[in-house]
Amino acid sequence: MAKQEDDFKKVISHAKEYGYVFQSSEIYDGLSAVYDYGQNGAELKKNIREYWWKAMVQLNDNIVGLDAAIFMHPTTWKASGHVDAFNDPLIDNKDSKKRYRADVLVEDYVAKIEGKIEKEVKKAAKRFGDSFDKKQFLVTNQRVVDYQEQATGILKRLGKSLENEDLADVKKLIEELDIACPMSGSKNWTDVKQFNLMFGTKLGANAESAMDLYLRPETAQGIFANFLNVQKSGRMKIPFGIAQTGKAFRNEIVARQFIFRMREFEQMEMQFFIQPGTQKEWYEKWKENRMKWHLSLGLGEDNYRFHDHEKLAHYADAAADIEFRFPFGFKELEGIHSRTDFDLGSHEKYSGKKLQYFDPELNKNYVPYVLETSIGLDRMFLAVFSNSLKEEQLENNTTRTVLKLPAVLAPTKAAILPLVKKDGLPDIARKIINDLKWDFNVAYDEKDAVGRRYRRQDANGTPFCITVDHQTIEDNTITIRHRDTMEQERVAISDLKSIIAEAVDMRTWLKRMG
Ligand code: GAP
């Protein structure tokens, strides 16, 4: 645990030191769970957004984009169920005065059991070596089976209590599991209460006529409200999807995990409109498709897993998370939800407007069912960033800090370094930059010895360093150094563009989705 915490602290401080993520309003001591993206963070975020947008909108001729407003008519949130049901169960510790999400306390307890299972697996893998069969071990080792049963039982009970709004039982569960306040160790808990997560605000200039509004807690409702506008103006035929990226706001109870759980964050959501009755098939397809997107980035297959929901949100008939191994363990990164006709049906009811589709194949009107994929852009940022940050032991007994970002997402693709600040080398470096900058983000760096500049670019996540030296003057070649292997090769300046393009081209990366 201490190592996990230490690793996570390193991620946070590296993000700050290299201009990726800053605490919001830091000069005023910050604002809790609100963050700003710095010069590199803004680029990384933009690249992740584009990687998602291309995969969803550009590569699917039946998915189109949308950019709906953050403010929506307040009835939207009544219809969507958020006014009545967008609550988290909160619990306070009477001694430490710390507030927690009751379900998260229980889930963290279960995560510890899962940690024990992982430990057993590691031990056995070491003992049995090559002959180790993990699948077999998980179902035959009695201790592991017991742990698994315990974890499943706890989650089932939690799911059921939450579904039945039985908050007394959630408290009972916390007491039975002997869960203590992580800050103080105290087990002196209040009752569990529901807390609505939406932020309220007002629209209008004078107090009497001002309208109470909410900041949207998800981008999805902008898509539902525009379903017919897009379907009609785009002459879309079912099945089709609408995708959008944008800010969402939630007054989170627990916000102690950097950009994992923020009060202002960005979502990348896609609603896929389908014939009623086909939702199972599309649910499986989109689960598979979204996992392929994640795997195409090469962060490691072992770092992902599906988690099927026991407790379903008020709108869903099936739901799964794609979980990622964050520095603090496996947690939700993306949700795949089968939302039935809940949203469109409810908006029909509240607005009095028909939100139906005439299906020429079936020769009838119906309210389409919806399959949703929903990923937090900031959470994806954290997944990519934390997974890429490595401390490497080098042969000469030194270490290097390197941010091995997937090259396609790296903020700066190449740094151009004149070996010395004289003999015309800076001019050549500038010329190279002036040529490459039309296609890639490139940087110039002439300060310090070249070795130190390499280290700086490694920590920054720049995949290539291009060094201009005296030989360049003679034969128009430079050395190109690869961040991940530290290998260097001598190539012609005229080949640079194609070498970089091959490594960072979205087409190459997205094609890995198959
Ligand atoms: N439209 C469905 C929906 O909003 P959700 O599971 O509540 O579903 C989807 O959210 C995704 O949004 C999550 O998987 C997560 O990546 C991201 N997300 C949710 N709350 C967040 C928060 N407070 N901070 C950062 N990301 C968040």
Side-chain angles (χ1 to χ4, degrees):
M1 209 56 163
K3 164 139 184 14
Q4 274 193 356
E5 268 166 34
D6 198 39
D7 286 349
F8 192 32
K9 274 190 192 145
K10 278 187 192 152
V11 167
I12 297 169
S13 66
H14 195 88
K16 179 173 179 192
E17 191 179 342
Y18 286 88
Y20 278 87
V21 185
F22 307 128
Q23 175 76 60
S24 160
S25 326
E26 195 183 356
I27 55 168
Y28 296 105
D29 296 332
L31 194 59
S32 164
V34 187
Y35 291 90
D36 299 336
Y37 288 86
Q39 64 280 19
N40 280 323
E43 292 287 343
L44 174 55
K45 209 173 158 193
K46 177 176 73 68
N47 293 343
I48 296 173
R49 197 189 289 112
E50 193 185 342
Y51 196 69
W52 180 87
W53 189 268
K54 276 214 158 120
M56 294 307 239
V57 181
Q58 193 170 326
L59 295 181
N60 289 296
D61 56 12
N62 61 348
I63 300 184
V64 292
L66 180 76
D67 185 5
I70 287 171
F71 291 142
M72 295 188 73
H73 192 282
T75 312
T76 308
W77 307 109
K78 192 74 195 149
S80 68
H82 284 82
V83 171
D84 298 317
F86 195 53
N87 301 318
D88 273 345
L90 74 81
I91 189 165
D92 291 298
N93 187 278
K94 290 183 197 164
D95 296 323
S96 68
K97 309 279 180 247
K98 291 281 172 204
R99 176 159 284 187
Y100 297 95
R101 262 176 66 174
D103 54 338
V104 171
L105 282 180
V106 176
E107 280 164 11
D108 285 349
Y109 182 92
V110 170
K112 279 189 196 143
I113 302 176
E114 284 169 349
K116 286 182 192 167
I117 297 176
E118 269 196 39
K119 243 190 198 158
E120 294 290 336
V121 170
K122 265 197 196 138
K123 256 193 335 202
K126 218 170 163 188
R127 193 158 11 108
F128 294 117
D130 285 347
S131 63
F132 180 60
D133 180 344
K134 185 175 169 188
K135 264 195 188 144
Q136 179 79 359
F137 179 77
L138 287 174
V139 292
T140 52
N141 180 283
Q142 195 52 47
R143 194 174 300 166
V144 168
V145 171
D146 290 346
Y147 282 146
Q148 195 55 60
E149 269 177 14
Q150 194 193 356
T152 314
I154 294 170
L155 288 179
K156 270 215 163 95
R157 172 151 163 216
L158 176 70
K160 215 164 159 200
S161 314
L162 290 174
E163 206 171 305
N164 298 338
E165 297 255 341
D166 186 354
L167 300 182
D169 192 57
V170 178
K171 182 177 182 192
K172 214 162 127 206
L173 182 60
I174 288 173
E175 286 170 342
E176 280 172 25
L177 297 174
D178 218 20
I179 295 175
C181 164
M183 291 294 192
S184 64
S186 154
K187 295 170 192 164
N188 192 7
W189 296 110
T190 61
D191 287 341
V192 178
K193 284 183 286 213
Q194 292 289 26
F195 175 79
N196 193 287
L197 299 184
M198 283 197 294
F199 282 105
T201 184
K202 287 201 183 289
L203 182 92
N206 74 51
E208 296 87 66
S209 64
M211 189 181 203
D212 285 320
L213 288 191
Y214 294 105
L215 297 183
R216 67 180 178 196
E218 62 171 16
T219 56
Q221 297 305 324
I223 292 180
F224 291 124
N226 279 295
F227 159 71
L228 265 194
N229 284 337
V230 174
Q231 191 271 318
K232 285 199 179 332
S233 60
R235 294 190 296 140
M236 307 302 291
K237 288 198 173 55
I238 273 179
F240 75 92
I242 304 178
Q244 88 169 319
T245 71
K247 288 281 176 119
F249 304 82
R250 297 182 188 179
N251 198 1
E252 297 285 356
I253 301 169
V254 185
R256 280 190 277 271
Q257 283 165 318
F258 191 40
I259 55 172
F260 179 81
R261 200 179 299 286
M262 303 157 87
R263 296 201 163 106
E264 174 182 340
F265 58 101
E266 193 165 336
Q267 287 187 315
M268 306 191 286
E269 297 201 295
M270 192 278 301
Q271 323 300 133
F272 201 67
F273 299 91
I274 55 177
Q275 264 182 20
T278 62
Q279 67 266 34
K280 267 213 162 63
E281 179 195 327
W282 285 111
Y283 176 63
E284 293 306 328
K285 268 198 188 143
W286 277 109
K287 270 173 79 173
E288 190 189 333
N289 188 295
R290 291 303 303 145
M291 186 58 101
K292 280 188 185 160
W293 181 83
H294 284 285
L295 295 181
S296 72
L297 284 169
L299 303 183
E301 209 163 323
D302 281 358
N303 290 321
Y304 298 89
R305 68 182 188 193
F306 282 112
H307 169 245
D308 294 318
H309 281 208
E310 292 284 338
K311 182 201 167 204
L312 292 173
H314 58 274
Y315 50 72
D317 74 352
D321 295 335
I322 293 178
E323 293 189 338
F324 185 78
R325 195 196 300 267
F326 287 98
F328 36 83
F330 270 104
K331 294 273 178 211
E332 173 186 347
L333 170 59
E334 169 158 10
I336 321 285
H337 310 128
S338 170
R339 290 182 81 125
T340 67
D341 57 356
F342 172 84
D343 301 88
L344 288 180
S346 188
H347 285 305
E348 264 201 339
K349 217 161 65 200
Y350 277 86
S351 67
K353 311 257 163 48
K354 277 219 171 320
L355 295 175
Q356 300 195 357
Y357 171 76
F358 176 74
D359 193 325
E361 260 176 44
L362 302 180
N363 197 26
K364 68 171 190 184
N365 281 304
Y366 56 79
V367 177
Y369 270 39
V370 169
L371 209 289
E372 164 185 81
T373 71
S374 175
I375 176 168
L377 174 49
D378 313 84
R379 235 175 240 193
M380 185 61 197
F381 184 111
L382 182 59
V384 170
F385 189 87
S386 60
N387 183 270
S388 302
L389 186 60
K390 315 270 182 211
E391 287 276 335
E392 280 185 355
Q393 202 72 38
L394 302 181
E395 275 167 11
N396 58 1
N397 253 348
T398 57
T399 55
R400 73 161 179 157
T401 302
V402 53
L403 191 60
K404 290 185 166 176
L405 296 171
V408 64
L409 301 180
T412 305
K413 304 305 186 195
I416 323 298
L417 322 172
L419 188 64
V420 289
K421 277 190 251 178
K422 53 183 186 181
D423 305 335
L425 302 189
D427 294 337
I428 301 174
R430 291 278 180 207
K431 251 173 93 181
I432 293 174
I433 286 192
N434 281 335
D435 182 37
L436 293 180
K437 73 181 181 190
W438 297 93
D439 297 294
F440 317 106
N441 272 350
V442 286
Y444 177 81
D445 190 1
E446 60 172 25
K447 198 167 170 290
D448 301 321
V450 78
R452 286 190 68 174
R453 282 182 266 168
Y454 285 158
R455 289 287 178 275
R456 204 153 50 224
Q457 294 301 332
D458 285 347
N460 219 35
T462 310
F464 297 109
C465 281
I466 290 151
T467 306
V468 177
D469 57 18
H470 292 95
Q471 193 181 327
T472 312
I473 303 171
E474 285 161 27
D475 63 6
N476 279 321
T477 64
I478 45 79
T479 57
I480 182 161
R481 174 186 178 273
H482 299 257
R483 176 197 66 195
D484 296 350
T485 58
M486 295 190 289
E487 271 166 19
Q488 298 187 23
E489 52 182 328
R490 191 122 209 138
V491 301
I493 292 176
S494 54
D495 289 339
L496 265 181
K497 203 190 289 183
S498 63
I499 292 172
I500 300 172
E502 202 184 313
V504 306
D505 188 10
M506 283 210 181
R507 170 199 299 250
T508 319
W509 288 77
L510 283 168
K511 277 197 166 169
R512 294 180 190 169
M513 285 178 73

